[in-house]
Amino acid sequence: MTAPIRVLVCDDQALIRTGFATIIGAQPDLEVVGECGNGREAVDLAGRLCPDVVVMDVRMPVLDGIEATRLLAGVGAAHPVKVLVVTTFNLDEYVYEALRAGASGFLLKDAPPGQLLHGIRTVASGAALLAPEVTRQLVGRYAARIRPAEGTPDDVGLTPRELEVLRLIADGLSNGEIAARLVISQETVKTYVSRILTKLDLRDRVQAVVYAYRTGLVT
């Protein structure tokens, strides 16, 4: 049997934290290894419990979810942990910063339980999770303010088709939707995505979206 996915739940609201833990713990392939109410506790517990995924709130006392995510999953993390951010829609600016800090994805707190479970499994598998229905609003709303000059569409080293795929990823389209839009197979889309991540030295689709906005490939 495959070992269950180990999950640490971090949210300063006890009711939400307990609800998440109950939903997650009821699944045979998932295991809640710990719960906590602030980012500092999340970092400390993650170091001791070695979870596969941390379900992380954004606004919390002591240490917020953004800084906790940076410590757990950022560039300087000694033992990176996958982080799934859950938040309310009006905190989308904070979620963007969490994605930049290293989170593997985000969900809204009012998402159905099935989406939460799917999100945990997706992130644990090494893939990234962006809620497609809010990706454009999430990143696009703050793109002009936070986009540094990191390159231009002429110097990123991608082919025209790869640039097209990257822009569609940044618009929140799934592989299936990209395949339908470009009239190509999903396997071909996967190949393009893999090439894009490799050429740009990016970890996953989340980083690809952030990159697209920060470099001005998407406006």
Side-chain angles (χ1 to χ4, degrees):
M1 291 181 61
T2 302
I5 298 169
R6 297 166 56 82
V7 182
L8 173 64
V9 179
C10 184
D11 195 296
D12 66 332
Q13 298 183 53
L15 187 60
I16 292 177
R17 188 169 67 242
T18 300
F20 283 171
T22 300
I23 293 168
I24 297 166
Q27 304 302 305
D29 62 328
L30 304 178
E31 177 187 3
V32 178
V33 296
E35 300 177 38
C36 57
N38 66 69
R40 173 52 59 192
E41 291 179 342
V43 173
D44 293 342
L45 281 177
R48 299 204 309 267
L49 302 175
C50 301
D52 299 304
V53 177
V54 178
V55 175
M56 182 80 74
D57 187 19
V58 174
R59 280 187 169 175
M60 294 181 293
V62 185
L63 188 70
D64 65 34
I66 295 172
E67 185 57 31
T69 296
R70 186 173 292 110
L71 293 173
L72 289 171
V75 176
H79 303 286
V81 179
K82 297 179 178 67
V83 177
L84 175 64
V85 172
V86 289
T87 188
T88 53
F89 183 69
N90 64 352
L91 296 181
D92 49 3
E93 179 177 9
Y94 297 95
V95 176
Y96 180 86
E97 296 300 332
L99 295 178
R100 292 185 68 188
S104 292
F106 75 89
L107 286 174
L108 305 182
K109 280 189 177 179
D110 60 359
Q115 285 190 21
L116 172 66
L117 300 173
H118 171 71
I120 292 170
R121 294 177 179 119
T122 298
V123 169
S125 73
L129 182 77
L130 288 173
E133 69 274 15
V134 295
T135 299
R136 187 180 296 104
Q137 297 93 321
L138 169 67
V139 185
R141 183 177 303 176
Y142 300 97
R145 181 177 63 80
I146 59 182
R147 183 194 305 137
E150 294 189 353
T152 70
D154 296 326
D155 64 15
V156 296
L158 300 181
T159 67
R161 180 62 107 180
E162 289 165 350
L163 283 171
E164 190 174 14
V165 171
L166 177 57
R167 291 187 177 103
L168 294 175
I169 292 172
D171 275 340
L173 273 65
S174 66
N175 284 355
E177 291 168 334
I178 294 173
R181 179 76 63 86
L182 301 180
V183 195
I184 57 179
S185 71
Q186 289 197 47
E187 287 302 316
T188 300
V189 174
K190 289 179 182 178
T191 299
Y192 279 125
V193 172
S194 178
R195 287 177 183 170
I196 291 167
L197 297 181
T198 299
K199 285 185 176 183
L200 300 180
D201 193 25
L202 302 174
R203 183 188 61 205
D204 52 37
R205 293 171 74 100
V206 171
Q207 289 193 345
V209 172
V210 173
Y211 181 92
Y213 278 92
R214 293 180 67 187
T215 56
L217 292 171
V218 176
T219 57

